[in-house]
Amino acid sequence: MATILAIESSCDETSASICKDGKILSNIIATQAVHEKYGGVVPELASRAHQQNIIPVVVEAILAAKVSKKDIQAVAFTRGPGLLGSLLVGTSFAKGFALALNVPLIEINHMHAHILAHFIDDPKPAFPFLCLTVSGGHTQIILVRDYFDMEIVGETTDDAAGEAFDKTAKILGLPYPGGPLVDKQARIGNPHAFVFPEPQIPGLNFSFSGLKTSILYFVKDHKKLDPDFVQNNLADICASVQYRIVTILLNKLKKAAKQYHISDVAIAGGVSANSGLRDLLTETAVKENWQIYIPAFEYCTDNAAMIAIAGYYKYIHGDFVGQDVSPLARMDF
């Protein structure tokens, strides 16, 4: 029964998890509030915060799991993609910890881990399945044939869906991080109050830059007529924007499901926590006769539990790396 320590430090969350024989025993996450006043993640501040957080987070994960350091048989870590300085902190810690205990190292692709988070709890998807992976930096439709046999069949050609949410929040004057605040306002708004265009992108690819521009000019034009337009219509604007982003995502997902004749569909990544996406996916599943898989909220955003479960499946196959491994800001899928 393998006991694995997992480290996640790709962006602005420092996280550690303990996994024993495929079961998550702990999942500790330290967030970084320092970026809020800058309106986005500052890489240098993120890496410094990781240095401060990583030891306390790992200690807490081990204590919460009620295991000893001596019980750990491997260390899994996020090699990439992500912010290089942040990845360097996690990679260096993982290498040092593994070296001290003389246990193997397991490198994990952060995007693979988001998908494999679906294998933490039951029910688990059956292969093959489609996974819509949506985060601040990625928007992809993945054909998942096996644990590490995955193919990107559609992706954004410019901005990611998460960026569209955050940029919309900035346009509306909402503080960072804006995506969850748009979602919160959207829950009390009318999604059909305003109509935003759907980009006509061929195939299974996405584009959100045009939508972002249309939202900017929409707000500017209405504020010329009514300076309080945003304040008076905030919930409806958020609901309408969210509805358009979600429908763009799901229309492509429906197209992919028909193209590949797959009815098992999953979502992953930070934006999979969005209530509009979850609700409309559930409605779509009924109409399309899909079996859907939606991760628990704690496994949507960056976390070490997903690194741990990915590490568990690599451990089973003896897929280890040496002490010469280095982090990668960009990593082949």
Side-chain angles (χ1 to χ4, degrees), residues 64-129:
K66 298 180 180 179
V67 298
S68 165
K69 283 189 296 183
K70 296 179 181 179
D71 297 325
I72 295 170
Q73 295 164 276
V75 181
F77 67 98
T78 303
R79 186 181 183 188
L83 300 175
L84 192 57
S86 295
L87 291 166
L88 186 61
V89 175
T91 301
S92 299
F93 183 90
K95 289 166 69 174
F97 199 98
L99 186 64
L101 293 181
N102 193 29
V103 297
L105 275 170
I106 305 170
E107 65 168 21
I108 301 297
N109 183 309
H110 180 83
M111 300 311 296
H112 287 177
H114 270 304
I115 296 168
L116 294 177
H118 287 285
F119 294 89
I120 294 174
D121 295 327
D122 290 324
K124 298 175 175 64
F127 300 115
F129 66 92

Side-chain angles (χ1 to χ4, degrees), residues 181-192:
L181 297 177
V182 171
D183 186 18
K184 183 178 179 180
Q185 288 293 326
R187 295 180 195 184
I188 57 174
N190 175 11
H192 305 292

